[in-house]
């Protein structure tokens, strides 16, 4: 007998706690998870099925797409457009929103996703993942426009990611804490392996791409310089660096053993307000991190309160251990008030 509750049972039991629930949300989640199992399978087979390498196309943000970016995006669209629970979708890999074809029924939710986060890592067999966020479609709207997707992170109904690493993990929040599951390939089901995840308030581990040091603002440089100084500096203890270049893997590590992650604002022309996208990356990860007891900021305000004004808008992201995030925010306030 295997130990642990299946994801299917978990979400049905959650549904029973909400007597007025129609079951629509539960079925939508199941469909998302099925799509991610298919992506997991393709990622896992990799070069055996010739899905590695560049697709030689650019996405709307001018980034080169990998074959797996496009395949994962197509899997999500095809697995979810027919389900009847969505009124529309938006993805990091598509310029415009994806309306549900008239041949399918429409539902009350909107789905936004990054089909394959960290895809620069596909050829090197380093962990990558799918990030998703479920929003409510405005009441009475069956034909959503781009504007309907532009919701602050605090309005998310659910956020999650599936990490394709040595194991395939699903991590999910609906605003009642964070739970983690591991895919049991033998039975094709996710099993609840990490219930009620929490992030320690303090940490000695930080993740940032230090090659961008010269482009950062003074408060971020100050913070990182103090960490570099370790036991000899004002922090009086040593810190350790990690950088996977897959946000989904960084957030997973933070959920498992703590830490802080930064992709701050910088002065490069193509980055400016940050590299990561509000809707597909920053908001869902912030929801998960806050629900696990961590914090998330742009450096100047709580990230999930920022009102997006375009679909692919980018934002500075600083998230993880609460004490560190508060310290970095303080450094921004001090720097701004001195200006
Ligand atoms: P992607 O969605 O195109 O993969 O880009 C997002 C990724 C994040 O997962 C990661 O934190 C960051 O880009 C790494 O950027 P860099 O290569 O500048 O270090
Ligand atoms: Mg991404």
């Amino acid at each position: 007998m295997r130990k642990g509750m299946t994801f299917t049972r978990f979400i049905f039991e959650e549904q029973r706690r909400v007597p007025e629930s129609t079951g629509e949300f539960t079925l939508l989640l199941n469909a998302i998870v099925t799509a991610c199992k298919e992506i997991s399978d393709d990622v896992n087979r990799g070069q055996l099925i010739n899905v590695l390498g560049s697709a030689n196309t650019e996405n709307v943000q001018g980034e080169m797409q990998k074959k797996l970016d496009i395949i994962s995006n197509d899997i999500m669209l095809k697995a979810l457009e027919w389900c009847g629970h969505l009124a529309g979708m938006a993805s990091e890999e598509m310029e415009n929103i994806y309306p549900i074809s008239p041949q399918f029924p429409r539902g009350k939710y909107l789905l936004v996703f990054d089909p394959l986060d960290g895809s620069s890592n596909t050829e090197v067999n380093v962990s990558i993942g799918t990030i998703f966020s479920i929003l409510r479609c405005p009441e009475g709207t069956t034909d959503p426009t781009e504007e309907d997707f532009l919701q602050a992170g605090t309005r998310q109904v659910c956020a999650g990611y599936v990490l394709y690493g040595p194991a395939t993990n699903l991590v999910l929040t609906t605003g009642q804490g964070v739970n983690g599951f591991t895919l049991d390939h033998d039975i094709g089901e996710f099993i609840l392996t990490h219930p009620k995840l929490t992030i320690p308030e303090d940490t000695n581990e930080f993740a940032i791409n230090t090659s961008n040091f010269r482009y950062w603002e003074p408060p971020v440089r100050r913070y990182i310089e103090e960490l570099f100084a370790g036991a000899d500096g004002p922090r009086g203890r040593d810190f350790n660096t990690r950088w996977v270049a897959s946000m989904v893997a960084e957030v997973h590590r933070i959920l498992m053993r703590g830490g802080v992650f930064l992709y701050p604002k910088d002065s490069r022309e193509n980055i400016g307000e940050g590299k990561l996208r509000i809707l597909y990356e920053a908001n869902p990860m912030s929801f998960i991190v806050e629900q696990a007891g961590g914090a998330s900021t742009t450096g100047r305000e709580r990230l999930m309160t920022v009102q997006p004004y375009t679909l692919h808008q980018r934002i500075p992201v600083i998230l993880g251990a609460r004490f560190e995030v508060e310290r970095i925010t303080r450094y921004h306030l001090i720097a701004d008030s001195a200006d």
Side-chain angles (χ1 to χ4, degrees):
M1 181 76 173
R2 285 170 198 271
K3 286 203 185 86
M5 189 190 290
T6 64
F7 175 70
T8 310
R9 177 170 173 187
F10 177 85
I11 52 171
F12 273 85
E13 293 203 347
E14 292 288 301
Q15 182 191 319
R16 276 191 208 123
R17 278 181 227 254
V18 186
E20 64 279 12
S21 161
T22 58
E24 201 173 329
F25 178 71
T26 302
L27 293 168
L28 171 60
L29 265 184
N30 239 335
I32 295 171
V33 166
T34 303
C36 292
K37 284 185 208 167
E38 198 179 332
I39 298 172
S40 168
D41 195 49
D42 280 3
V43 165
N44 193 256
R45 288 172 199 268
Q47 199 54 12
L48 293 174
I49 53 169
N50 192 27
V51 293
L52 298 189
S54 172
N56 295 315
T57 49
E58 275 186 5
N59 68 11
V60 58
Q61 289 126 110
E63 298 162 339
M64 283 308 283
Q65 290 177 302
K66 295 292 183 69
K67 287 184 198 169
L68 273 169
D69 283 320
I70 296 173
I71 291 169
S72 308
N73 194 60
D74 286 348
I75 289 174
M76 292 293 281
L77 298 178
K78 296 292 161 248
L80 290 156
E81 63 181 351
W82 59 269
C83 74
H85 312 305
L86 291 175
M89 292 185 253
S91 156
E92 187 180 304
E93 301 301 337
M94 296 184 297
E95 182 168 2
N96 301 311
I97 62 166
Y98 185 86
I100 302 299
S101 154
Q103 75 193 98
F104 302 119
R106 293 184 180 195
K108 59 182 178 199
Y109 295 107
L110 302 174
L111 180 70
V112 294
F113 56 88
D114 176 356
L116 204 59
D117 179 61
S119 59
S120 71
N121 282 320
T122 50
E123 287 68 50
V124 292
N125 199 16
V126 166
S127 299
I128 49 185
T130 301
I131 309 172
F132 60 89
S133 160
I134 301 175
L135 306 168
R136 230 176 274 283
C137 188
E139 196 83 21
T141 305
T142 47
D143 223 349
T145 61
E146 176 171 329
E147 228 185 326
D148 296 317
F149 286 79
L150 304 180
Q151 301 186 24
T154 47
R155 293 173 62 190
Q156 293 172 100
V157 174
C158 169
Y161 65 77
V162 177
L163 176 69
Y164 314 117
T168 298
N169 288 123
L170 162 68
V171 170
L172 194 76
T173 185
T174 54
Q176 316 274 307
V178 181
N179 288 289
F181 304 80
T182 304
L183 182 60
D184 183 333
H185 291 275
D186 290 345
I187 58 168
E189 266 271 25
F190 279 98
I191 306 293
L192 181 63
T193 45
H194 299 79
K196 298 189 175 69
L197 285 163
T198 54
I199 298 172
E201 289 173 326
D202 219 346
T203 184
N204 62 0
E205 212 161 63
F206 68 103
I208 189 165
N209 185 342
T210 47
S211 66
N212 299 321
F213 189 93
R214 69 188 186 283
Y215 302 116
W216 299 332
E217 293 187 297
V220 173
R221 284 198 216 180
R222 171 184 172 189
Y223 175 71
I224 298 299
E225 270 169 347
E226 289 181 2
L227 301 189
F228 282 161
D232 301 329
R235 299 297 300 268
R237 59 191 171 99
D238 289 334
F239 288 81
N240 200 8
T241 316
R242 289 282 180 276
W243 189 247
V244 188
S246 280
M247 185 194 200
V248 74
E250 319 273 9
V251 169
H252 196 70
R253 185 186 59 251
I254 290 170
L255 283 165
M256 292 300 123
R257 67 178 192 208
V260 62
F261 166 91
L262 302 90
Y263 212 116
K265 189 177 163 85
D266 77 36
S267 60
R268 282 173 296 166
E269 212 170 287
N270 60 336
I271 300 293
E273 279 308 304
K275 177 178 182 190
L276 301 172
R277 273 82 11 164
I278 300 189
L279 292 178
Y280 320 114
E281 292 156 328
N283 273 345
M285 291 314 205
S286 299
F287 192 18
I288 292 169
V289 164
E290 282 197 6
Q291 282 294 316
S296 173
T297 178
T298 63
R300 297 184 164 88
E301 57 196 319
R302 183 181 166 211
L303 196 150
M304 285 205 292
T305 59
V306 174
Q307 172 62 44
Y309 52 88
T310 60
L311 205 54
H312 298 288
Q313 192 176 326
R314 299 172 188 259
I315 192 165
V317 180
I318 297 162
L319 54 76
R322 205 157 52 80
F323 291 163
E324 293 304 308
V325 174
E326 284 169 3
R327 175 184 288 270
I328 300 164
T329 309
R330 221 163 41 238
Y331 289 4
H332 280 81
L333 282 176
I334 294 167
D336 289 352
S337 60
D339 283 345

